[in-house]
Amino acid sequence: MKRFSSFSKSTLIMGAVVLALLGWYGWSQLSDQGPGEGFISGNGRIEATEIDIATRLPGRVEEILVREGDFVTAGQVVARMQIDSLEAQREEARAAHEEALHAVAAAKAQIGLRESDVAAAIAVVTQREAELEAAQRRAARTEALAQQGSASRQQLDDDRARARSAEAAVAAARAQVAAARAALEAAKAQQVGAESRVGAMQATIGRIEADLRDSELKAPRDGRVQVRVAQPGEVLGAGGRVLNLLDLADVYMTFFVPEVVAGRLALGSEVRLVLDAAPDYVIPARVSFVASQAQFTPKTVETASERQKLMFRVRAQIPPALLRRYLEQVKTGVPGVAWLKLDPDAPWPPQLEVREELLQLLTDEQ
């Protein structure tokens, strides 16, 4: 019984030693996986800028020309809206434009007529003024003769009446000139109104044609269709989403670093990304954004020292040249680890070295 108890104790001790050795070996293996001191990492996911392709005007979706997963280029037509009503509005505006042009022509003809009326009225005034002058001279002579007894009183009264009648005729002729000039100004105002109407109709036609162009939904930049939000035949309101596009030239990883590290980061600092889906490939990147304020760590973020309360958000941008080269392989949502150097002069360890072909590609692009 005593021997059995001693044997059991020895077995337990040996087991504990073996477990300790295994634990030390495992810890040493895990610790060797990192690049060592002077480096820090943060977990994140590959993200890309999302663009919603939406309608500017309400209407019915006529057709969608792309499928989910398709690559599109900037300016490519990806969908069309129904344009029957817009085409009818354009024809109506064109007809109104023609009518306004005819109104301008009519106004110009009216101006010519009114200018002739003004000239005729001025000529009448000249004629009436001459008649008035003659009547006044006749009346003056008759008055002189009447004082000498050579002319009758009746003749003098008749000549004075003719002079006053001539004065009234001059006043009436001058009034006709004023009326003709007022009619001329009215005709000119009509021309201005008609020309303004022409301009308004041209602007209306331009607006409708812009609406027609906007009815062809185009990709604003190169990318990949992520989601078809709407389907042909659906009626959408203004701003209704039709497609969701990923800009694969603007791909980055967002991760978080502690406060003590954020102050040592600078825009353009080198980053190495290692994705869970391809751990053997190291992706070069550079810091393109560092938050100016700390925030509480999101629940999905894990740190080496459990969870720290305040962290700074950092964005590592993947070079566009690299993205264009491997466009078909770019996927968003892939988790990975971003490695940063705390010492800018420290060399990258072998496991975080970028492959030669990638470095050559980036060098050629520069």
Side-chain angles (χ1 to χ4, degrees):
M1 188 71 173
K2 207 169 187 181
R3 286 182 60 194
F4 179 76
S5 176
S6 174
F7 176 77
S8 299
K9 287 181 180 180
S10 300
T11 303
L12 291 174
I13 292 172
M14 289 296 295
V17 170
V18 170
L19 289 175
L21 290 173
L22 289 174
W24 176 84
Y25 177 78
W27 176 85
S28 64
Q29 290 297 312
L30 291 175
S31 63
D32 288 343
Q33 291 178 359
E37 294 183 2
F39 295 85
I40 190 171
S41 65
N43 294 340
R45 290 180 181 273
I46 294 295
E47 302 176 52
T49 299
E50 293 189 18
I51 306 164
D52 285 333
I53 299 179
T55 64
R56 193 175 67 84
L57 299 171
R60 187 183 300 277
V61 180
E62 182 74 21
E63 58 180 338
I64 298 177
L65 306 176
V66 293
R67 297 173 296 179
E68 293 178 355
D70 287 352
F71 287 91
V72 296
T73 57
Q76 178 181 340
V77 177
V78 295
R80 291 189 176 92
M81 303 295 292
Q82 199 173 72
I83 58 174
D84 295 347
S85 60
L86 288 175
E87 288 179 336
Q89 291 175 23
R90 182 176 60 181
E91 293 306 314
E92 181 181 1
R94 285 176 174 173
H97 179 254
E98 290 296 325
E99 182 181 357
L101 289 175
H102 291 312
V104 170
K108 288 180 178 180
Q110 191 70 15
I111 288 173
L113 177 61
R114 296 307 176 191
E115 287 175 343
S116 299
D117 291 343
V118 170
I122 291 174
V124 171
V125 168
T126 302
Q127 179 183 356
R128 296 291 181 258
E129 287 175 344
E131 291 174 353
L132 172 61
E133 185 179 358
Q136 288 174 340
R137 287 198 298 268
R138 177 184 291 276
R141 287 194 299 269
T142 302
E143 185 176 359
L145 292 173
Q147 290 176 356
Q148 296 173 4
S150 300
S152 65
R153 185 72 181 177
Q154 180 64 42
Q155 187 177 358
L156 176 60
D157 291 341
D158 291 343
D159 289 343
R160 286 176 173 173
R162 279 193 289 271
R164 287 194 295 272
S165 177
E167 289 178 356
V170 169
R174 288 173 177 171
Q176 288 295 327
V177 170
R181 284 175 174 166
L184 175 61
E185 293 302 319
K188 289 180 177 179
Q190 288 179 353
Q191 180 184 357
V192 172
E195 289 174 345
S196 298
R197 178 68 174 167
V198 170
M201 287 300 99
Q202 288 175 339
T204 300
I205 293 171
R207 176 184 58 79
I208 295 173
E209 288 178 344
D211 291 342
L212 285 167
R213 289 191 297 271
D214 285 341
S215 296
E216 281 193 341
L217 306 184
K218 299 178 181 179
R221 60 184 75 175
D222 296 350
R224 184 168 59 203
V225 178
Q226 185 179 22
V227 181
R228 279 178 54 158
V229 183
Q231 297 298 329
E234 291 186 24
V235 177
L236 303 178
R241 297 169 61 210
V242 179
L243 296 168
N244 179 264
L245 194 69
L246 285 179
D247 182 5
L248 297 182
D250 187 14
V251 179
Y252 52 88
M253 178 182 285
T254 300
F255 56 98
F256 292 80
V257 298
E259 296 173 277
V260 293
V261 175
R264 301 169 62 180
L265 286 181
L267 294 180
S269 299
E270 286 188 88
V271 183
R272 295 290 187 262
L273 305 180
V274 180
L275 303 182
D276 294 356
D280 296 332
Y281 289 87
V282 178
I283 302 173
R286 290 192 178 272
V287 174
S288 62
F289 170 81
V290 179
S292 57
Q293 282 186 323
Q295 65 184 81
F296 288 103
T297 312
K299 293 181 179 180
T300 56
V301 175
E302 300 173 359
T303 62
S305 57
E306 297 298 332
R307 289 174 49 80
Q308 302 190 27
K309 290 185 178 180
L310 290 177
M311 305 284 282
F312 280 81
R313 184 163 58 93
V314 180
R315 178 180 292 178
Q317 194 84 23
I318 301 176
L322 186 61
L323 294 169
R324 287 193 293 268
R325 175 64 177 82
Y326 297 97
L327 192 62
E328 295 287 344
Q329 285 76 32
V330 177
K331 302 290 188 299
T332 58
V334 179
V337 179
W339 287 95
L340 293 164
K341 287 193 300 185
L342 300 182
D343 181 5
D345 297 327
W348 288 101
Q351 63 268 38
L352 292 179
E353 285 290 345
V354 180
R355 292 191 175 187
E356 186 64 29
E357 61 268 22
L358 298 184
L359 292 176
Q360 185 62 40
L361 178 64
L362 297 178
T363 303
D364 294 341
E365 183 67 19
Q366 292 173 356

